[in-house]
Structure formats: C-alpha cells, structure tokens
Amino acid sequence: MSVVEYEIDRPLVRFWLELSRSRLAVVGLVSTTALVLVAILAPIIAPQNPYDLTQIDFLDGELPPLSISPSGQTYWLGTDAQGRDMLSAIIFGLRASFTVAFSAGALALVAGTTLGLIAAYARGRIDTIVMRLAEIQMSFPAILLALMLLAVFGRGIDKTIIALALVQWAFYARTVRGAAIAEREKEYVLACRLLKLPRWRILVSHLLPNVLPPLLVIASVQLASAITLEATLSFLGLGLPLTEPSLGLLIANGFDYILSGQGWISFYPGVALLIVIVSINLLADRLREMSNPRLKR
Amino acid sequence: MTSPEADQDGPVLDIRDVSIVFDTAGGILPAVDGLNLRVNRGEVLGLVGESGSGKSLTGFAIMGALDPPGRVAEGQILFCGADLTQMSDAELRRLRGNRLAMILQDPMLTLNPTLTIGTQIIEAIRAHRSVSQSEARALAVQAMQTVGIGEPERRLSSYPHEYSGGMRQRVAIAIALLHTPDLIIADEPTTALDVTVQAQILLEVRRLVEALGSAWIWISHDLSVVAGLADRIAVMYAGRIVEEGPTEAVLRHPKHPYTRGLLQSAPENPPLDDGKLWQIPGSAPSLANRVTGCRFRPRCPRADEACGTQPPDQGQQHRFACWHAYDEALGQ
Amino acid sequence: MFEVVLRRLVQAVSVVLVLSLVSFIGVYKIGDPVQLLAHEGATEQEIEDARARLGLDRPVHQQYLTFVGRMAVGDFGTSFVSSRPVVDVIVERLPATIELTLAAFLISVLMGLPLGIVAGLYPEGPLARTIMAGSILGFSLPAFWFGMMMIMFFSVDLGWLPSIGRGETTRFLGADWAVFSLDGWSHLIMPALMLSLTTVSLVIRLVASGMREAMMTDYVKFARLKGLSERRVVLLHALKNVMIPVVTVLGLEIGSLLAGSIVTETVFAYPGIGKLLIDSINRLDRPVIVTYLILIVLFFVVINLIVDLIYTALDPRVRGTLR
C-alpha cells in the first residue's frame, strides 16, 4: 500500500537506482560502455589492423559486405578502395573518435573548471574578462569556431583536440563559477575561514558535490557533441590526418564511392557514428532529467 | 437527456454518489468517494477541508475540467436537472463560463501573462454571446466596474503584471460573473492575498452574492472565512463529506470530531498553556495512505473498533457520518 | 531602450574589431599563399614581386592596419585566387546561401511547430513518443552523413533528385536565384532538409516541453473554465507563452544554420559562401577567409541584437521594465 521512501547513503547506489528508472538510459549506459571497451580493445578484437599495409590486400578492394576473400577472410562490412576491411577500419575509427573526444573533454573540463574557480574567487576584472570570453565563445556555433581554429592550426590529432577543448571550456567555466559563487556566500564557508581551514579544502569538500551533477550532464552532452564535431571537421578535411582515420574520415573517404554505387563504404561508419551518439545522448538525457528537479517524475 | 433549462425549481446542483479517481500506473486511486451534495438556488455553500481532502477536485469535477489522469468514475452530477457527467465536450463548453463559473486560488497565475486584461475579458464575453468587438468592450468595462476596478477603459489595455494580486482576483471574479451564472465555484480565491485585500474582496463578494442571486460553492480550508459567507457548510476529510448542515448548526453544534477539531484549532481560540494553538494530532493522510472505515479514525479521540466500518450518513438537515457523534454544543 | 541598443552596439563593434584582429593574425600564420599560387618554375625574383604586389612583404601589424582602414570604407581587398575584389566574389555567392538558409529555416518552423505542439499536448500518446524519438534521432544524426545518405537514396538509387549544384537560376534584382524554377527547387530540397535537421529537432523539443508545461498552468485551466474552444486555449493561450522562448531560440538558430551551411554546401557541392570558405581555406585565399569571418561575426552580432529586441517586444513583462 504505502510507498516506503528511505535514504540510501551510498551515492553510487543511489545514482544507479535513479538512473535505472529509465530503461532507455540503461540501454545508453550499457551501449556506451561496450563501445568504449571495443575502442580500447581495438587491436585485439579487430579482424585486421587497417593501418598495417602488410595485412591489406589491394586486390580485395571495394568488395561488398559479406564477401569472402581468396585467402578465406570474411569481410562482414565489405572493404574500401584499398582493400581494407571496413569492420576493422570502423573499430579503429571508433578508437580515434573516442580518443579525440575524451581528450578534448578532459582538457575542456580541467581548463573550464580552473577558469571558473579563478573567476569566482578573484572576482572583479578577471571575472569580467573570463566570463565575457565565455559569453563570446558561446554566442557562436561550435562548428564555426572549431573550423576557424583548425583553419589556423592546420590538421592533426593534437590540434583537433585543442580546437575542440577551446569551443567547450566555457560551458564548464560558467557552471563552476555559478556554483562557486553561490557556495561562497554560504555561512559554512565563512565558518571554515574562521577556523582557518585552507581554502582548497573548502572547495574540494563542499563545492565538488554540488557541481558534480551539472558537470556530469555537460560532460556527457559535450562528449557526444565533440564526436560529431570531430567527424564533421574531418569530413571537411580540417580535422584528423588521413593516416589516423576517425569515423568521420571513413565516411568522408566513402563519399566519392556513393555515386558509383559502393554506398557501404560510408554507410556503415555512419551507422557506427550514429549508434555512438544516440547511446551517449540517451544517457545524457537521463542525467539532465535527474539533475533538473522540475523534470523529475 | 434533459437540458439544464428544464428544471428551474429544483436545486442548482445535485451531486449523487460521485467518486473521483486517478488512473495511475499502479492502479486506480480513489480520491473522492460517495459524495452527495446539494446546492439550492441563490445559496452559498461553504466547502471546507484540509489540502488533499478533495474539495478542489470536486470543484473541477463539477466544471467537467478534471486534468487527466483524474476522472469521475461513478455517480451523477445534476446541474439544473441535467447530468454533467454525460455531456459532450461541446455541451460542457457552452455551460462553462456561462452558467457555471469558477474562480481559482492564485490570482497571480490565473490570468495569461501575454494577453491584455481586455482581451481576456472580451474573449470570455464573446465565447457565449454573439456581440461585436465594441459591444463586448463596453460590457467588459461594465464588468470591471461591477467588481470595483477604477478607470476600466484605460486598464483594459494593461497586462496582468501591471495589476496587483487583489486587482487580478477582481478581474477573475468579473470574468466569472460575466454571464450571471447559476453556479459559481470559488476555489479559495482569497487565500493567496494579503489579509487587508482579503477582507476587501470578501466584502465585495458578499455584496455580489446578494445582488446577483447566483448560487456559490465557496471552497476553503478556513472555517472562519466561510462562516461569515455561507448559508450551509460541508466539511470534507480525506475524500469524503463528514458533516454538512446549516452554518449555524455546524458551527454551534458540530457533530463530527473532525469538525470540532477544526473549530478548536481556529486562531480565534485562546492559546493553550504553552502559548501554542491547539491542533488536531497527526496529519491528513495522503491518497495512498487512507485507512478503511472512518478515515479520521487514526487522529480521532473517540475512535474504537466500531470505526473500522464506514459510518452511514445520519440526520436530515444536518448530516454527519460518525459512530460517536457529539450531541452537545461546542464549548460545553 | 535606446540606451540598451547603443550599449549593445558598442559591445558589438568591439567584438568585431577584436575578432578581426585575431582572425587576421591567425590566417596570416596559416602559410605562405605565394608559394601555393606561384607556378612550378617561378624564380625567386618572380615570387618576391608577387609578394610585394599582394602587400605581403610588410610587417603584419602594418598589413592589419591597412586592412582595417580599407575595411572601414568597404574595401575588403582582392582574392589571391581569382584576382577579383573579395566583395564581388562573396556577393555573387550570397544568394545561394540565403536561399538555402531561409529554406532550412522555414522547414524548421513549419515542421517543428506542429510536431512539437502535438507531442506536447498528448505526451503519453504513441504519436508523441514517435515524434520525440525522431527528434532524439535528429539530434544524434551527424548532418553530413544524413546528407550523404539522402544522396545515396534519392539521387543514386532512385534517381529522383540531383545531388550537386543549384541548377537553373534566374536573374532578379541583380542576383541569380534558383527558387524561380522547378529545377532550382529540386536542387534545393535535399540540402535544405539536411541543414534543417538539428533545428527541427530542437524546435520540436522546445515546443513540446513548453506546451506540456503551459497546459498545466492555471491560466490555461482558467481559459478553459471560461468556456473557450480548445483550439483557442491551445493556439492562443498556451502557444503564445510557449513562443516567447522559441522565437528567441529560432532567431539564434539562424546563425547556426548559416554555420551549418558550410558543411551542407560542401556535401552537395552547392555554390554558396560556405563552400567558398572551405575552398578558400584549402587554397589559402586569405582575403576571402578573413572577409568571410568578419562578415559572419558581424551577422551574428546583428542577429543577437535583433533577437533581443524581438524578445522584448513579445514579452509584456520585459517590455514593461524597459519603458
């Protein structure tokens, strides 16, 4: 009859209970985890190493999905023009996409959090400058800024990571600054100061639990957005170099073959990209719902 | 079916054995059950209860405007003899705002922030009467004067945020009165207002009650507000009417322990030794936590085994549902 | 009110100046265009001459000042690649991008609004679930891949629609427009759909959640209690409140559409300014890149300002505070 509400004091368990109320979110979490594992284990699971020219037979070029090579290898998703197994290329492409997105996310998180904290505690002019920069950055579409930056930097994994971090830091900075300012005004911070506890301990122990949920939401949304952005930039010829093809570059490489009827070369990498982004977005949607009490049901 | 015009002599409203339920994923939750209530022409009925007792739901059910997942599961709501629960949406719409009107609790939320006051009054006029825009405007000015709003011409083109809370509630009342309805349901219309504004509005309403001859259901959690206004009072607890009768009788000779509790905990009473007001012990049950039998049982000083079964309605003019009703007047 | 506009304008001009400096220096560092432009057997002397002719032999701050000075009188320099005034090159490509962006904008509004309203009114219904699932998919689909798949399906497999260019154009008001011919429309429809993908999804979500909230408000209940038709309750009382944030977002989305057109035009080899930018980046055509960037920054600033003004006009509560 009656609904028993009890407090669970283990945050991870509580988090999981709340998250798992949405079946789609669980699907998203499982699928995202699986994809990350595939990316990490790429060299072990992939049927061949698509970068190792000795494993690639040029004569097997442009084979449709499910073809079997003379050497007895099955190409589940076909091959590209160079005879590279598309399934392997996709698995390694996933690895490249995740590497860029996670690195950019981590960089943006660290940079944004630091700047947000500095802005909140330094106040005054520094605060104004940091927040004005964030404002300008956020008033332009990410693709446009990233494109400008890469046009200046040139191609490359490191440059792409930096460009993506530069278009994402502001979201973290704004959130952290807001939370830090709210926290700063509270009484216990004053109490801590009177007790002469070091500032960083105040920050870590009180601020962190408050900013963690919104940061998690931003991080998940930005992860999906970074993957799409990188793919798009690579497609435009401004992202990753040809030697390390991400999913976006695989799709771009297949573009020319679409018109001649070999659609699978860009179809399957696209499906993989779509699955990655949908998985992350399902998770991100639930995280956002959980952190917004108005949407809680 | 009979049209609401047919019966001009009987009660304006006759609610017979109505139950209101919520359809939830976990099953059907009853919110109000076995509700019987009559309102005569020109009469003011005070409907009193704590929040969650089902009094507002009853109001919305009469208007045919329950939000899903709420619905009337059984019973009849006869309005001038015609059953509202059997009417089509179009038939209900013709009655709503016209012969049946409702005023909501919080005037800050009742009016649409993006439309002018004029638009919101005029659309209510033209929903039920085919008049030109300029005629409607003249009627709107009249309606605003009726509820004591000065400079109505100018104020018609203002937006709600330019009005105070009291003024907004006057507008809502003016809208409800536009077509001189047979029945007006007022859902705690003064609760959200300042005490002084509350008094002004109550004074205004008392004047309007006498001037218009409409019947009113005045919903409130505060017996003292209703006492000065109502001809009869009905007290609801946890989805049921526990006592109902003429105002004098209910206030002087409350039969049900819950009604007594409400009266004793009113702020007009002298405080207890520790300076606090007396309160009914415990709190009102949530929808899912109601007990069988008499629902007031867990908080009642007179409860015993008999209360495990729902007491039947007793009395004629002064009805009550209690196995151990008080006979003596209050304070003896 | 006037003061607000003025303050915003001063802000805008400073943003444009700062970004023009950043982009100028940035683009300056990309590489040496003369090396790229010179023919294979060019002598050292020829390269030096070209450099002097293009003004590239002077220090960067001098180049920038010259550039700003000229920009102030509307002279954005000459394209390294086509040797024509940059303004001409861009203006000639502008109608294509305008058509594309407007078409995508219209699709976003005409599809997003009704679908969002339906999804918000009956959130538990199967139709609403389908629409919301579609909008999640629309958010997740990489737009360029969606465009390519449309080409694969409609152009290659079915042969219904052309996959490249703008098709037939008609001269009107001194510019070439494709919307006056069926051929032009057949070239426009797929790029416009691709470009509108994210915006449609965004509008659906915004309208649906706004509608859901609005339908639970007291003013919507009260409108119903007045005996108004459900149509008027939904389309006037609820929708007007929902539209305030939606119009704001839609205004800002015009900017996103313009940025997105860079990708769209690349996929469909559509001759607008987005394609021009990518081509210019690949050919290091500095004047074109810098001009494009400055124009787009300017455009964004103006859009933001207009959106603010519209928002003020729409919401009587905000309007009141500015009077």
Side-chain angles (χ1 to χ4, degrees):
Chain A
M1 274 289 284
S2 64
V3 184
V4 186
E5 288 276 348
Y6 45 89
E7 277 294 301
I8 300 145
D9 46 38
R10 281 154 62 200
L12 266 181
V13 177
R14 196 167 57 205
F15 176 79
W16 166 250
L17 283 178
E18 182 127 4
L19 182 91
S20 58
R21 268 192 225 165
S22 154
R23 227 179 315 152
L24 278 177
V26 177
V27 172
L29 181 66
V30 170
S31 159
T32 307
T33 316
L35 288 165
V36 170
L37 280 178
V38 167
I40 293 172
L41 302 175
I44 301 170
I45 0 181
Q48 61 170 223
N49 181 350
Y51 305 134
D52 183 0
L53 292 176
T54 58
Q55 291 185 28
I56 296 167
D57 191 346
F58 194 71
L59 292 176
D60 286 352
E62 298 178 25
L63 290 176
L66 296 177
S67 300
I68 298 169
S69 75
S71 59
Q73 190 177 1
T74 309
Y75 296 121
W76 296 102
L77 300 180
T79 60
D80 69 2
Q82 283 76 45
R84 203 175 274 137
D85 173 36
M86 282 312 294
L87 179 62
S88 308
I90 288 172
I91 292 175
F92 274 83
L94 193 66
R95 190 176 161 97
S97 290
F98 269 130
T99 308
V100 172
F102 273 117
S103 316
L107 198 61
L109 176 80
V110 172
T113 307
T114 314
L115 282 169
L117 285 179
I118 291 175
Y121 282 85
R123 311 190 201 192
R125 179 163 285 178
I126 296 178
D127 184 23
T128 315
I129 292 174
V130 171
M131 284 304 113
R132 182 53 50 81
L133 274 177
E135 209 175 281
I136 292 175
Q137 191 242 278
M138 286 192 291
S139 69
F140 290 91
I143 179 75
L144 189 68
L145 281 183
L147 199 136
M148 289 189 199
L149 291 168
L150 283 174
V152 174
F153 296 160
R155 278 187 171 198
I157 279 206
D158 47 345
K159 291 159 185 162
T160 309
I161 291 173
I162 292 173
L164 291 181
L166 279 173
V167 301
Q168 298 195 332
W169 68 273
F171 298 96
Y172 298 99
R174 198 177 51 172
T175 307
V176 170
R177 174 181 171 271
I181 285 181
E183 229 32 41
R184 203 181 58 193
E185 311 303 333
K186 288 188 186 157
E187 281 177 25
Y188 67 80
V189 177
L190 194 71
C192 290
R193 251 184 235 156
L194 290 177
L195 292 171
K196 294 218 173 3
L197 286 173
R199 267 196 172 188
W200 62 268
R201 279 202 27 203
I202 308 178
L203 285 179
V204 172
S205 56
H206 293 287
L207 191 55
L208 210 59
N210 285 322
V211 291
L212 219 50
L215 285 187
L216 202 60
V217 176
I218 298 176
S220 58
V221 173
Q222 294 300 325
L223 181 67
S225 134
I227 290 175
T228 314
L229 265 181
E230 177 274 315
T232 309
L233 291 166
S234 296
F235 169 78
L236 291 174
L238 294 165
L240 298 196
L242 292 165
T243 48
E244 282 163 285
S246 65
L247 291 175
L249 212 51
L250 289 177
I251 298 174
N253 289 342
F255 192 21
D256 296 336
Y257 298 94
I258 282 188
L259 295 175
S260 52
Q262 284 112 338
W264 69 86
I265 302 183
S266 60
F267 178 73
Y268 291 108
V271 172
L273 184 57
L274 182 62
I275 292 174
V276 172
I277 296 165
V278 169
S279 305
I280 301 175
N281 277 345
L282 286 178
L283 194 58
D285 258 14
R286 180 69 193 149
L287 290 176
R288 187 171 24 207
E289 266 175 37
M290 282 161 59
S291 76
N292 183 351
R294 225 156 40 117
L295 292 173
K296 247 183 211 172
R297 279 194 290 168
Chain B
M1 96 166 292
T2 35
S3 89
E5 273 74 25
D7 186 355
Q8 289 295 333
D9 303 317
V12 176
L13 186 74
D14 190 357
I15 301 179
R16 293 182 184 166
D17 289 316
V18 157
S19 69
I20 302 169
V21 300
F22 287 110
D23 294 315
T24 67
I28 297 174
L29 275 183
V32 169
D33 52 353
L35 186 78
N36 283 293
L37 203 61
R38 253 168 193 250
V39 183
N40 297 314
R41 290 195 174 270
E43 180 183 59
V44 179
L45 173 83
L47 188 57
V48 177
E50 288 165 281
S51 52
S53 60
K55 53 193 196 310
S56 295
L57 277 181
T58 306
F60 280 104
I62 297 169
M63 297 298 293
L66 280 174
D67 277 327
R71 64 181 169 91
V72 175
E74 45 189 294
Q76 293 177 307
I77 302 178
L78 300 174
F79 174 68
C80 299
D83 190 354
L84 293 171
T85 61
Q86 300 301 315
M87 283 189 193
S88 69
D89 287 346
E91 286 173 306
L92 269 174
R93 193 181 71 69
R94 276 196 291 276
L95 290 181
R96 273 202 291 258
N98 187 11
R99 302 195 43 203
L100 263 173
M102 187 160 176
I103 305 161
L104 303 179
Q105 181 169 359
D106 190 345
M108 305 310 263
L109 306 175
T110 307
L111 298 171
N112 193 320
T114 57
L115 299 173
T116 63
I117 299 290
T119 308
Q120 301 190 53
I121 300 180
I122 288 167
E123 68 177 358
I125 295 173
R126 301 187 76 186
H128 302 289
R129 234 190 274 181
S130 45
V131 291
S132 71
Q133 184 73 21
S134 56
E135 285 170 302
R137 209 179 157 79
L139 288 171
V141 168
Q142 235 175 30
M144 286 172 81
Q145 280 162 345
T146 314
V147 293
I149 296 178
E151 291 185 87
E153 300 274 0
R154 186 179 61 81
R155 287 224 160 97
L156 276 184
S157 45
S158 311
Y159 285 90
H161 72 268
E162 298 168 69
Y163 277 53
S164 68
M167 292 269 279
R168 289 194 215 186
Q169 199 59 299
R170 280 169 198 264
V171 172
I173 294 172
I175 290 175
L177 298 180
L178 278 174
H179 303 284
T180 355
D182 299 71
L183 177 66
I184 300 159
I185 299 166
D187 186 3
E188 306 214 31
T190 58
T191 311
L193 301 172
D194 293 344
V195 185
T196 45
V197 183
Q198 194 172 342
Q200 283 170 13
I201 300 260
L202 281 174
L203 203 69
E204 198 74 53
V205 167
R206 214 166 286 157
R207 189 176 63 76
L208 292 168
V209 166
E210 276 158 33
L212 293 175
S214 299
W216 292 67
I217 294 180
W218 193 279
I219 298 173
S220 179
H221 66 275
D222 188 349
L223 259 174
S224 63
V225 167
V226 170
L229 210 60
D231 302 311
R232 279 189 305 129
I233 288 178
V235 180
M236 277 188 96
Y237 185 79
R240 283 188 186 142
I241 291 187
V242 293
E243 180 161 6
E244 188 247 301
T247 303
E248 277 292 304
V250 172
L251 294 181
R252 296 260 163 109
H253 300 273
K255 299 276 188 191
H256 198 281
Y258 178 60
T259 315
R260 283 198 173 233
L262 278 183
L263 285 165
Q264 278 161 356
S265 60
E268 294 84 14
N269 290 322
L272 301 175
D273 294 342
D274 59 357
K276 287 181 186 155
L277 277 174
W278 184 84
Q279 276 192 324
I280 306 175
S283 59
S286 72
L287 264 190
N289 284 330
R290 289 174 179 172
V291 294
T292 53
C294 175
R295 287 173 181 160
F296 189 55
R297 182 160 51 108
R299 302 170 71 187
C300 183
R302 293 193 155 192
D304 60 19
E305 305 87 70
C307 303
T309 20
Q310 167 65 23
D313 271 3
Q314 301 164 50
Q316 287 292 319
Q317 281 300 305
H318 188 174
R319 286 191 296 149
F320 54 92
C322 180
W323 294 113
H324 309 292
Y326 291 84
D327 282 330
E328 67 275 22
L330 190 67
Q332 287 171 7
Chain C
M1 189 73 213
F2 176 71
E3 195 194 333
V4 177
V5 176
L6 195 71
R7 202 168 56 222
R8 291 295 304 267
L9 274 177
V10 171
Q11 264 177 30
V13 170
S14 49
V15 168
V16 172
L17 274 178
V18 170
L19 283 178
S20 78
L21 179 64
V22 172
S23 57
F24 188 84
I25 294 175
V27 173
Y28 177 85
K29 290 184 64 188
I30 293 180
D32 187 351
V34 178
Q35 294 289 353
L36 209 75
L37 288 170
H39 55 88
E40 294 253 331
T43 62
E44 204 54 28
Q45 186 56 43
E46 278 173 320
I47 290 179
E48 279 310 308
D49 287 350
R51 191 163 280 144
R53 197 172 62 245
L54 296 172
L56 297 171
D57 52 347
R58 294 173 304 141
V60 65
H61 66 270
Q62 269 188 31
Q63 288 189 39
Y64 177 69
L65 286 179
T66 320
F67 167 77
V68 171
R70 285 191 187 157
M71 192 174 74
V73 294
D75 177 6
F76 290 89
T78 311
S79 160
F80 292 164
V81 175
S82 65
S83 307
R84 296 170 53 211
V86 172
V87 174
D88 290 1
V89 176
I90 289 183
V91 164
E92 142 193 309
R93 299 269 202 132
L94 211 51
T97 303
I98 293 176
E99 277 178 355
L100 177 60
T101 313
L102 278 185
F105 184 78
L106 282 180
I107 293 174
S108 310
V109 175
L110 296 180
M111 273 178 72
L113 269 187
L115 290 177
I117 292 174
V118 171
L121 283 182
Y122 317 102
E124 307 297 329
L127 190 59
R129 282 169 196 274
T130 314
I131 294 172
M132 293 319 279
S135 88
I136 290 189
L137 199 67
F139 260 125
S140 304
L141 263 176
F144 69 97
W145 184 67
F146 175 63
M148 284 164 60
M149 291 302 110
M150 277 198 290
I151 292 178
M152 186 168 109
F153 192 66
F154 292 110
S155 304
V156 178
D157 291 356
L158 295 173
W160 288 356
L161 293 168
S163 65
I164 278 176
R166 285 177 90 188
E168 194 184 311
T169 55
T170 314
R171 197 110 187 119
F172 179 67
L173 293 177
D176 291 321
W177 304 92
V179 285
F180 297 116
S181 70
L182 201 62
D183 183 55
W185 276 101
S186 72
H187 282 83
L188 185 59
I189 184 73
M190 282 201 297
L193 276 176
M194 167 183 159
L195 186 54
S196 66
L197 180 71
T198 334
T199 313
V200 171
S201 313
L202 182 71
V203 172
I204 289 178
R205 295 195 119 195
L206 267 179
V207 173
S209 71
M211 213 61 195
R212 250 175 99 168
E213 268 177 44
M215 293 312 283
M216 291 188 287
T217 59
D218 275 10
Y219 60 78
V220 162
K221 281 184 194 159
F222 192 64
R224 233 186 241 136
L225 293 173
K226 289 197 285 194
L228 303 182
S229 66
E230 196 60 20
R231 215 179 119 101
R232 191 175 169 93
V233 171
V234 172
L235 294 184
L236 181 71
H237 282 264
L239 195 59
K240 195 160 182 207
N241 282 275
V242 173
M243 281 315 280
I244 292 173
V246 172
V247 166
T248 314
V249 171
L250 270 176
L252 298 175
E253 274 302 295
I254 294 180
S256 304
L257 287 175
L258 199 64
S261 74
I262 300 170
V263 187
T264 311
E265 290 176 5
T266 308
V267 171
F268 289 94
Y270 189 90
I273 52 169
K275 179 97 172 61
L276 177 68
L277 174 71
I278 295 297
D279 291 345
S280 303
I281 288 175
N282 289 332
R283 292 177 197 156
L284 299 184
D285 197 345
R286 269 187 222 169
V288 178
I289 302 174
V290 174
T291 310
Y292 178 93
L293 295 183
I294 287 171
L295 285 182
I296 208 159
V297 167
L298 207 63
F299 179 79
F300 265 90
V301 169
V302 172
I303 281 281
N304 280 326
L305 193 65
I306 294 176
V307 167
D308 270 12
L309 293 179
I310 292 178
Y311 179 78
T312 317
L314 272 182
D315 194 333
R317 285 159 293 190
V318 182
R319 207 188 310 156
T321 58
L322 283 180
R323 243 178 225 156

